[in-house]
């Protein structure tokens, strides 16, 4: 019986980690499924691999002998790397996930690494890239002639069901709201059927809000969609400035305080 090829089969995964045990574990988990594995144990070695053969996905330890894994991630993004970066992190290693997302990290895998969970995460990442490429190749959906648009459409990308309900309470009637709960489905929905505005949580499962912003702002027609960025954690001035650098970002909404008032104020900046 023949099996359909796995998403990303034959593509290159860079493992940037100075722990030989981790490197061997990742190699054993991914090589049998057809992924090509490259190794580096420090930032200098990682740069050489990227310059020699740019990978499609990077598994990145955050604590490297010659610097921070987040610094390597910033270097990757400054070089125009658009692939996924998954950070290998220990419990409590990051003060805020927002710092990692701003640096360019898309997702996390927790130590100790479970081989089956790692394989599923990598497979899902390549499946996402494949579906997104197919969606980008299709023309945007057009409404039928004579359709009357009652309200502008808002794509709410928010994994917290409580705050998702707050968004609907604050903005229903002003927007026709479509809700998704993770970054994968959020960016797919934005590409396949572009909304008039987006409410985007910065800390999402599967893909971060920062990854979504990078994709939106890389495509001319999607760059025009106004985005309200939602954050449940305090952002540093540097993190906030980085996010505000995306042309599509119009306003920040904090989950603390009076979120309904903040959402209703954001509405005025999104229409």
């Amino acid at each position: 019986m023949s099996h359909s090829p796995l998403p990303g089969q034959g593509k290159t995964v860079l493992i940037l980690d100075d722990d030989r045990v981790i490197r061997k574990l990742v190699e054993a988990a991914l090589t049998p499924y057809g992924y090509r594995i490259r190794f580096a144990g420090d930032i200098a070695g990682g740069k050489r691999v990227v310059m020699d053969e740019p990978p499609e996905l990077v598994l990145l330890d955050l604590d490297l002998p010659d610097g921070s894994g987040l610094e390597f991630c910033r270097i990757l993004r400054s070089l125009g790397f658009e692939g996924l970066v998954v950070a290998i992190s220990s419990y409590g290693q990051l003060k805020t996930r927002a710092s990692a997302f701003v640096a360019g990290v898309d997702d996390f895998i927790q130590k100790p690494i479970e081989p089956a969970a790692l394989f599923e995460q990598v497979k899902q990442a390549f499946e996402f890239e494949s579906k997104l490429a197919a969606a980008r190749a299709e023309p945007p959906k057009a409404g039928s002639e004579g359709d009357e648009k009652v309200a502008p459409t808002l794509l709410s990308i928010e994994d917290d069901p409580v705050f998702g309900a707050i968004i609907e309470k604050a903005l229903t009637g002003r927007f026709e709201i479509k809700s998704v709960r993770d970054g994968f489905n959020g960016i797919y929905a934005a590409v396949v059927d572009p909304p008039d505005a987006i409410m985007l949580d910065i800390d999402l499962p599967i893909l971060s809000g920062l990854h979504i912003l990078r994709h939106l702002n890389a495509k001319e027609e999607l760059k025009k969609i106004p985005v309200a960025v939602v954050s449940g954690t305090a952002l540093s001035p540097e993190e906030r400035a980085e996010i505000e650098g995306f042309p599509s970002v119009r306003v920040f909404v904090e989950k603390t305080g009076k979120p309904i008032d903040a959402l209703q104020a954001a509405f005025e900046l999104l229409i």
Side-chain angles (χ1 to χ4, degrees):
M1 179 185 295
S2 62
H3 297 277
S4 22
L6 290 168
Q9 233 176 358
K11 291 192 175 181
T12 302
V13 176
L14 167 61
I15 304 165
L16 183 50
D17 197 312
D18 62 322
D19 186 331
R20 291 179 180 274
V21 174
I22 295 288
R23 285 155 56 175
K24 289 295 182 184
L25 185 154
V26 173
E27 181 180 31
L30 299 182
T31 301
Y33 297 99
Y35 300 112
R36 301 179 64 247
I37 308 298
R38 298 291 303 273
F39 299 105
D42 53 29
I43 290 176
K47 288 180 184 176
R48 287 192 294 271
V49 171
V50 170
M51 298 303 291
D52 176 53
E53 182 185 1
E56 281 80 23
L57 185 145
V58 177
L59 296 173
L60 173 66
D61 188 17
L62 295 176
D63 188 12
L64 296 166
D66 55 347
S68 160
L70 295 187
E71 181 56 35
F72 179 78
C73 194
R74 290 187 191 96
I75 293 168
L76 267 185
R77 297 305 184 192
S78 71
L79 294 173
F81 180 74
E82 295 184 353
L84 295 177
V85 177
V86 177
I88 303 169
S89 66
S90 301
Y91 178 76
Q93 189 170 13
L94 288 174
K95 291 182 180 177
T96 66
R97 287 165 61 94
S99 300
F101 291 145
V102 168
V105 169
D106 297 300
D107 204 356
F108 294 84
I109 187 162
Q110 191 85 22
K111 294 179 181 177
I113 296 175
E114 293 291 337
L118 172 66
F119 165 66
E120 285 300 323
Q121 200 159 355
V122 169
K123 183 180 76 169
Q124 187 177 60
F126 282 123
E127 183 179 40
F128 159 75
E129 293 291 353
S130 174
K131 286 185 176 180
L132 183 59
R136 282 176 166 165
E138 296 176 2
K141 290 182 179 178
S144 303
E145 192 173 344
D147 282 355
E148 184 178 344
K149 203 170 190 178
V150 177
T153 54
L154 174 75
L155 175 60
S156 171
I157 311 175
E158 170 60 66
D159 65 316
D160 180 349
V162 174
F163 198 77
I166 291 173
I167 290 173
E168 294 198 8
K169 181 177 180 180
L171 299 180
T172 294
R174 302 185 179 200
F175 283 104
E176 179 186 333
I177 299 175
K178 177 179 181 180
S179 299
V180 296
R181 293 289 181 85
D182 60 65
F184 180 106
N185 287 296
I187 193 168
Y188 188 76
V191 171
V192 171
D193 190 9
D196 295 303
I198 295 174
M199 190 72 64
L200 175 64
D201 191 358
I202 209 68
D203 188 355
L204 291 165
I206 304 180
L207 289 176
S208 74
L210 264 295
H211 190 95
I212 293 174
L213 282 175
R214 284 196 299 272
H215 274 279
L216 292 176
N217 286 274
K219 197 165 185 182
E220 203 58 41
E221 61 269 28
L222 298 179
K223 188 189 296 186
K224 300 171 185 175
I225 300 173
V227 177
V229 172
V230 177
S231 176
T233 56
L235 298 173
S236 70
E238 294 77 17
E239 290 167 348
R240 193 171 177 118
E242 180 83 16
I243 295 169
E244 287 175 336
F246 290 102
S248 60
V249 174
R250 298 288 192 275
V251 63
F252 281 84
V253 176
E254 300 290 341
K255 290 186 178 181
T256 55
K258 297 181 177 179
I260 289 184
D261 292 347
L263 287 165
Q264 289 175 341
F267 165 76
E268 304 300 332
L269 296 171
L270 290 176
I271 57 172

